[in-house]
């Protein structure tokens, strides 16, 4: 009986599938409402010129901190730094994600906390759920989030809310339970209804503790920003994730510091708001009036801002948007940026969404993104192709003759996979676990008897590059999962290991995929993507420029200038 | 008609209440029941009648069930069984809405630790009962301000509770209840958290208030002296049961059972009274430091016409009257020249009966000194008489 494994994974999968299908209408509705809502918030935030926003925030910091200079100066300088680093758009996207997630958490969390405080039965049921929510690795929430809401901001909010909700619920429950019994009795003894008791006594007394919970929730949401960027949530997290995948310490730090600045500002703001108004001195009527006027002024300002934004966007020409999904491998960063720049030249509004490979395929299949230029076929992404081939359109190869396989430095004396015995500590250094090449590398380990006992280490593309560089400099053994075209081959002297069993695939092509119906919705772009093709040398030159420090956009533009004829030929 | 009537009221906390109720009927003790069933008997079979305008005191030691009993009267604690009639209506059967109406209009409560809302000003606390009743803001402010004026707290109306002393906070608690003009006032050890001096003041205030307003008051206390002072009738509780109900006189002269007798005796300890037991703190002047002005100021402040004179180490030197202090001020004399050195002294273990003879001849209080002639307190006449009279009863 111990040989029988409970099919828990299958059950969960079946249940999720059932949910996805049964409530697909609801999910789609939430997604579209959520997307337009959050898009609206972000656009409104971006509508304000950054400098004006920074000045407003600095003034707000000045008053919120009771006219102390520390927070004021920090807010001003911190935001200026973010603007200076070109992260303003990302910052505003992150702010939207944080605000919306926090609001949803509060709207759900506070009532649930109250319910827990009022009913011991509810508390007994909800508490273990909260434990579950808090300890489950946050990555797990991304999977159903994508299944329900696709990619983008909405699943980011969904995952963030699940991860960040518990402190608000717990602290609300605790706060209400901690109110002295005598005060509750006093309220009851005067004939308060439970509503009156809640709003006149319990919530005001519980407020400081509830605020502490909300503060924690906001901090947790901020920490989810990075994780959520894996499923396309825009914002500062993308910078961190991309830096991780390229092992780009500098860029990673800059995005990280921007997040820290944002976190500190939000933390100090919420804490200051929570402090009792100048130590219990009753506000004079004049002060109260001034407060009221200020609140109305702020509200009116926000409403005006929204109105102005919508009027201006209604008057402006709405460009057609093309959404390109990609994986943050160097090759795909190059090709997707080139395609994006070509489309931008033609007046399209191009959105680029970095995603995990498996999520990317799924997103093309269910129409979340319009196109992807990063399908390695037939072998590397064969499994994914089999899974989704009915739900997407393969426009054929954009680059032929690519290869992937196990790669070693030339100084190692092995030439084929069969030559491997106990080199490199019996480890193959790989990339992201979801990548196609990881599947084929595992297949190779299983297929070759001499690789028994070998281990495939998953990390990130950037981490693998660093490992290779270190091993190369020390002339140590290393086996990596490699593919070409790649600038690694021009930087180091590397060689593919012969693969007699062809488990890692023969020469492959990179294909362009589009969602179903894209040819009808946007025939022009569809045609360009269909025509898009270039050579290994072309791609490597872009990749090399990026690796030398150019921004992807700049490298793509430079390549387009040099290859104007080829690009023009795509447009026909 | 009785304002409030309670019939067979019981409260059992915890599980297996039926079994516990059976056991308590058989006369088993609280501890036994707790051990066998895990249930705690709060109150068992309480019966009482309170007349309109009466101050009815419920007293007993900690854990006797008096707070549980009073909380059942407005159903802050749901009774396990029994009936509670207010103006002839059984509130134990009332729906939530009816009960709320009774709480809003008929019966209000004052709490031991005042139960003031820390986030509301004094005025906002006072108008709370009116606010939940839906009285318009202007009217309820007027009523609350009047209630605060009656308690001389009007000037503090915009302060917060933690800015007030305990006595003031409790007066706010009382004003908050009275602002509603309830028929019945429940006071759960309302003065126990106050210091003795303020406590006495509050008792006086309550008696005065009662003389003006004729409210029905249920007063809980664990202090026999307080009960005797303010109570028209007293119920004594022990182990969740009412032992005896009667006037203070009846309870002192005719205790219903051994428990009440012990309880009453234990409180006044008359059989073994010594000077130590009945002395009060002495009001003194240090003649080595103080001059006549300081001494007179002190007398004025303490409302007395005489002080005991001591030196730096509290050795008794004599007594000082207001007249002689004034004389000293006029003649520019030092206090040491005008004090009366002839003061009656006793030791702390002198029996009350012996003191009686001494104090009869002495115009001044008796000084109680220790074996090193240091002043530890004084015995005033009233205390001796009180002690002796209860002695005579015993």
């Amino acid at each position: 009986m111990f040989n029988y494994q409970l099919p828990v994974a299958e059950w969960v999968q079946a249940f999720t599938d059932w949910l996805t299908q049964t409530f697909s209408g609801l999910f789609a509705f939430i997604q579209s409402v959520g997307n337009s809502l959050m898009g609206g918030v972000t656009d409104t935030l971006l509508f304000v010129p950054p400098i004006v926003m920074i000045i407003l925030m600095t003034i707000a910091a000045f008053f919120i901190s009771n006219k102390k200079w520390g927070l004021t100066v920090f807010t001003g300088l911190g935001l200026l730094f973010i603007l200076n680093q070109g992260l303003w758009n990302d910052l505003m996207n992150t702010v939207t994600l944080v605000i919306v997630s926090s609001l949803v958490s509060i709207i759900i969390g506070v009532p649930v906390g109250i319910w827990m405080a009022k009913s011991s039965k509810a508390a007994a049921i909800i508490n273990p759920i909260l434990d579950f929510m808090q300890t489950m690795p946050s990555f797990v929430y991304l999977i159903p989030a994508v299944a329900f809401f696709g990619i983008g901001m909405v699943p980011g909010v969904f995952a963030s809310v699940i991860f960040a909700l518990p402190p608000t619920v717990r602290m609300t429950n605790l706060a209400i339970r901690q109110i002295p019994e005598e005060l509750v009795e006093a309220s009851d003894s005067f004939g308060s209804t439970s509503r009156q008791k809640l709003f006149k006594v319990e919530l005001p007394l519980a407020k400081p503790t509830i605020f502490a919970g909300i503060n924690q929730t906001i901090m947790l949401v901020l920490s989810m920003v990075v994780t959520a960027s894996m499923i396309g949530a825009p914002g500062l997290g993308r910078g961190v994730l991309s830096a991780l995948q390229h092992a780009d310490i500098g860029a990673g730090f800059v995005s990280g510091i921007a997040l820290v600045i944002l976190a500190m500002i939000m933390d100090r703001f919420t804490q200051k708001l929570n402090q009792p108004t100048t130590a219990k001195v009753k506000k004079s009527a004049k002060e109260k009036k001034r407060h009221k006027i200020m609140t109305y002024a702020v509200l009116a300002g926000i409403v005006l801002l929204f109105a102005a934004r919508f009027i201006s966007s209604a008057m402006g020409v709405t460009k057609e948007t093309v959404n390109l999904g990609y994986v943050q491998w160097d090759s795909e960063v190059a090709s997707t940026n080139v395609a994006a720049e070509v489309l931008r030249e033609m007046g399209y509004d191009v959105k680029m969404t970095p995603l995990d490979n498996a999520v990317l395929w799924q997103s093309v299949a269910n129409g979340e993104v319009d196109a992807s230029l990063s399908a390695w076929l037939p072998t590397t992404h064969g499994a994914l192709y089999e899974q989704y081939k009915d739900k997407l359109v393969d426009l054929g190869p954009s680059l032929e003759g690519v290869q992937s396989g196990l790669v070693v430095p030339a100084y190692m004396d092995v030439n084929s996979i069969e030559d491997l015995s106990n080199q490199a500590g019996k480890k193959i250094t790989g990339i992201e676990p979801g990548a196609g090449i990881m599947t084929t590398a595992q297949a190779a380990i299983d297929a070759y008897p001499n690789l028994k006992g070998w281990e495939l280490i998953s990390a990130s593309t950037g981490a693998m590059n660093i490992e290779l560089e270190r091993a190369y400099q020390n002339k140590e053994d290393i086996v990596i999962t490699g593919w070409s075209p790649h600038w690694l081959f021009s930087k180091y002297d590397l060689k593919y290991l012969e693969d007699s069993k062809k488990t890692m695939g023969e020469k492959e092509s990179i294909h362009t995929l589009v969602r179903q119906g894209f040819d009808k919705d946007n025939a022009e772009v569809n045609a360009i993507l269909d025509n898009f093709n270039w050579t290994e040398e072309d791609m490597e030159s872009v990749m090399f420029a990026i690796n030398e420090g150019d921004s992807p956009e700049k490298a793509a533009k430079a390549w387009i200038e040099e290859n104007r004829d080829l690009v023009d030929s795509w447009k026909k | 008609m009785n304002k409030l009537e309670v019939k067979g009221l019981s409260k059992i906390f915890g599980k297996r209440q039926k079994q516990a109720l059976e056991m308590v009927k058989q006369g088993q003790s609280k501890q036994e029941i707790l051990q066998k069933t895990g249930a705690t008997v709060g109150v068992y079979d309480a019966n009482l009648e309170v007349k309109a305008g009466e101050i009815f005191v419920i007293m007993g030691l900690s854990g006797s069930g008096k707070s549980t009993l009073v909380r059942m009267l407005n159903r802050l604690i749901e009774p396990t069984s029994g009936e509670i009639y207010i103006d002839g209506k059984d509130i134990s059967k009332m729906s939530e809405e009816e009960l709320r109406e009774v709480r809003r209009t008929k019966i209000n409560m004052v709490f031991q630790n005042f139960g003031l809302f820390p986030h509301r000003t004094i005025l906002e606390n006072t108008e709370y009962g009116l606010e939940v009743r839906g009285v318009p803001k202007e009217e309820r402010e007027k009523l609350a301000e009047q209630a605060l004026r009656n308690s001389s707290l009007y000037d503090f109306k915009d302060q917060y509770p933690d800015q007030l002393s305990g006595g003031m906070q409790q007066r706010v608690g009382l004003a908050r209840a009275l602002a509603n003009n309830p028929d019945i006032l429940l006071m759960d050890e309302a003065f126990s958290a106050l210091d003795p001096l303020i406590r006495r003041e509050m008792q006086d205030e309550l008696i005065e208030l009662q003389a003006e307003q004729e409210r029905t008051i249920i007063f809980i206390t664990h202090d026999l002296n307080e009960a005797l002072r303010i109570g028209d009738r007293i119920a004594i509780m022990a182990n969740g049961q009412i032992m005896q109900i009667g006037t203070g006189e009846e309870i002192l002269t005719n205790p219903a059972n051994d428990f009440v007798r012990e309880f009453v005796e234990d409180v006044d300890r008359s059989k073994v009274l010594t000077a130590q037991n009945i002395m009060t703190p002495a009001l003194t002047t240090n003649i080595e430091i103080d001059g006549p002005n300081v001494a007179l100021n002190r007398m004025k402040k303490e409302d007395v016409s005489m002080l005991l004179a001591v030196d730096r180490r509290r050795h008794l030197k004599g007594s000082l009257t207001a007249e002689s202090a004034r004389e000293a001020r006029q003649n520019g004399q030092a206090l040491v020249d005008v004090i009366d050195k002839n003061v009656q002294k006793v030791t702390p273990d002198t029996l009350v009966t012996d003191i009686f003879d001494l104090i009869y001849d002495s115009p001044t209080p008796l000084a109680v000194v220790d074996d090193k002639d240091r002043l530890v307190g004084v015995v005033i006449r009233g205390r001796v008489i009180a002690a002796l009279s209860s002695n005579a009863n015993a």
Side-chain angles (χ1 to χ4, degrees), chain B residues 52-331:
Chain B
E54 189 176 31
I55 299 188
F56 188 89
V57 177
I58 299 171
M59 68 162 306
L61 301 173
S62 296
S64 59
K66 50 193 194 304
S67 283
T68 306
L69 177 59
V70 78
R71 276 169 175 69
M72 284 196 283
L73 300 182
N74 62 355
R75 274 177 60 189
L76 283 179
I77 294 177
E78 285 295 331
T80 307
S81 63
E83 291 138 38
I84 306 148
Y85 296 94
I86 293 177
D87 292 330
K89 280 186 204 133
D90 185 0
I91 74 155
S92 63
K93 305 275 186 301
M94 280 182 177
S95 70
E96 247 179 71
E97 289 79 46
E98 289 171 305
L99 174 67
R100 202 176 298 137
E101 201 50 38
V102 168
R103 285 176 176 173
R104 285 179 176 185
T105 54
K106 287 209 165 158
I107 188 163
N108 282 146
M109 192 157 177
V110 181
F111 294 86
Q112 178 170 12
N113 296 310
F114 324 135
L116 297 183
F117 305 123
H119 61 293
R120 291 177 150 239
T121 62
I122 300 308
L123 182 67
E124 286 164 348
N125 263 288
T126 311
E127 65 181 13
Y128 183 84
L130 299 160
E131 190 181 322
V132 297
R133 266 159 76 175
V135 176
K137 191 168 169 61
E138 271 178 35
E139 196 185 332
R140 73 179 186 237
E141 275 189 5
K142 222 173 75 192
L143 287 168
E145 281 172 4
Q146 188 54 48
L148 288 174
R149 258 188 218 106
N150 291 347
S151 326
S152 332
L153 283 162
Y154 182 76
D155 294 341
F156 300 94
K157 74 180 170 81
D158 291 335
Q159 305 276 76
Y160 285 87
D162 62 3
Q163 292 170 304
L164 267 56
S165 70
M168 287 160 101
Q169 289 190 43
Q170 193 51 293
R171 296 218 305 269
V172 175
L174 192 57
R176 178 174 67 176
L178 293 177
N180 275 317
N181 195 22
D183 294 355
I184 302 173
L185 198 56
L186 304 177
M187 302 184 71
D188 179 25
E189 302 216 25
F191 305 149
S192 301
L194 304 174
D195 71 58
L197 214 75
I198 295 171
R199 190 168 176 177
R200 226 182 141 82
E201 259 172 44
M202 294 289 293
Q203 289 167 359
D204 290 339
E205 228 169 86
L206 187 70
I207 292 168
E208 218 169 283
L209 194 82
Q210 185 64 0
E212 289 164 23
Q213 300 191 336
E214 284 263 322
R215 237 177 265 278
T216 309
I217 297 177
I218 314 283
F219 194 99
I220 307 285
T221 181
H222 60 253
D223 178 352
L224 182 65
N225 293 326
E226 192 168 65
L228 291 172
R229 227 177 130 175
I230 62 173
D232 293 324
R233 282 193 302 147
I234 299 168
I236 294 190
M237 283 189 81
N239 295 326
Q241 301 186 38
I242 294 179
M243 296 289 159
Q244 186 175 9
I245 300 179
T247 60
E249 193 68 25
E250 284 166 5
I251 284 173
L252 285 181
T253 51
N254 195 9
N257 55 30
D258 288 348
F259 176 83
V260 177
R261 185 173 299 116
E262 266 171 50
F263 187 72
V264 172
E265 281 168 3
D266 185 47
V267 172
D268 72 17
R269 294 166 296 187
S270 57
K271 278 177 189 162
V272 286
L273 279 186
T274 62
Q276 202 165 15
N277 300 125
I278 60 167
M279 70 186 182
T280 53
L283 297 169
T284 59
T285 178
N286 181 346
I287 51 168
E288 291 179 26
I289 299 168
D290 301 344
N293 283 317
V294 173
L296 282 168
N297 187 38
R298 180 105 211 263
M299 288 182 206
K300 197 173 144 199
K301 207 176 108 213
E302 299 288 352
D303 239 352
V304 293
S305 60
M306 200 214 86
L307 295 172
L308 287 176
V310 292
D311 67 7
R312 241 181 257 267
R313 278 169 297 167
R314 282 189 84 74
H315 289 134
L316 183 65
K317 291 297 172 194
S319 67
L320 175 73
T321 60
E323 289 80 26
S324 41
R326 216 166 284 133
E327 226 178 277
R329 186 168 64 179
Q330 275 165 5
N331 305 339

Side-chain angles (χ1 to χ4, degrees), chain A residues 207-515:
Chain A
K207 202 185 93 189
T209 312
I210 294 178
F211 257 82
I214 289 173
N215 184 279
Q216 280 191 32
T217 290
I218 294 174
M219 294 301 118
L220 286 178
V221 169
L222 268 168
S223 75
M224 265 303 275
V225 166
V226 177
T227 315
S229 68
M230 292 177 74
I231 48 171
L236 294 167
R238 270 190 193 172
V240 176
L241 195 67
S242 143
L244 175 69
Q245 277 161 342
H246 298 123
D248 188 343
I249 299 172
F253 247 85
V254 171
S255 292
I257 287 171
L259 268 172
V260 170
I261 291 170
L262 176 64
M264 283 177 72
I265 292 174
M266 296 200 95
D267 178 63
R268 300 303 185 273
F269 269 47
T270 47
Q271 275 186 15
K272 289 283 194 299
L273 286 174
N274 185 22
Q275 271 166 13
T277 39
T278 47
K280 296 223 171 165
V281 179
K282 192 176 156 80
K283 279 189 216 116
S284 66
K286 215 177 175 183
E287 241 175 303
K288 260 188 183 165
K289 208 172 170 188
R290 212 172 56 199
H291 249 247
K292 234 180 197 174
I293 291 172
M294 286 236 302
T295 314
Y296 284 131
V298 170
L299 283 178
I302 292 171
V303 170
L304 273 179
L305 199 56
F306 263 93
R309 208 267 303 174
F310 280 108
I311 290 167
S312 82
S313 71
M315 291 193 313
V317 191
T318 43
K319 286 185 280 185
E320 247 183 299
T321 306
V322 179
N323 191 354
L324 298 180
Y326 67 109
V327 189
Q328 289 189 331
W329 296 317
D330 295 324
S331 48
E332 273 58 45
V333 170
S335 59
T336 312
N337 269 287
V338 167
E341 285 307 323
V342 170
L343 294 175
R344 280 186 189 127
E345 278 183 0
M346 300 173 68
Y348 287 97
D349 189 4
V350 182
K351 221 165 102 185
M352 292 174 61
T353 313
L355 291 167
D356 176 74
N357 188 44
V359 176
L360 174 61
W361 278 79
Q362 191 185 345
S363 303
V364 180
N366 57 31
E368 295 277 337
V369 301
D370 293 321
S372 147
L373 291 92
S374 41
W376 292 53
L377 293 173
T379 313
T380 311
H381 296 160
L384 287 164
Y385 183 73
E386 282 306 311
Q387 191 178 348
Y388 294 111
K389 64 181 174 191
D390 298 337
K391 295 181 186 160
L392 44 76
V393 180
D394 180 6
L395 292 180
S398 63
L399 194 152
E400 292 188 58
V402 300
Q403 191 179 357
S404 65
L406 298 186
V407 173
V408 295
Y411 55 75
M412 280 174 70
D413 55 5
V414 286
N415 287 312
S416 75
I417 296 179
E418 277 141 335
D419 294 341
L420 292 171
S421 52
N422 57 358
Q423 296 85 345
K426 289 195 171 187
K427 285 189 182 94
I428 296 171
T429 306
I431 55 170
E432 290 80 4
I437 198 170
M438 296 296 280
T439 318
T440 53
Q442 188 58 51
I445 290 177
D446 297 338
Y448 288 91
N450 57 316
L451 290 187
K452 192 167 186 286
W454 277 63
E455 197 184 347
L456 179 63
I457 311 286
S458 60
S460 75
T461 316
M464 184 187 80
N465 293 348
I466 292 179
E467 279 290 302
L468 174 66
E469 185 174 357
R470 204 174 51 199
Y472 197 85
Q473 277 169 359
N474 299 334
K475 292 273 180 281
E476 284 168 8
D477 289 354
I478 185 166
V479 182
I480 63 169
T481 56
W483 64 94
S484 48
H486 201 290
W487 52 267
L488 281 176
F489 287 92
S490 39
K491 187 166 180 183
Y492 308 112
D493 194 3
L494 305 174
K495 63 186 175 190
Y496 279 103
L497 294 179
E498 277 167 43
D499 180 10
S500 59
K501 296 193 177 177
K502 307 291 177 206
T503 51
M504 301 284 290
E506 297 176 71
K507 291 250 169 180
E508 294 193 281
S509 311
I510 303 179
H511 288 231
T512 304
L513 308 172
V514 293
R515 65 177 167 84

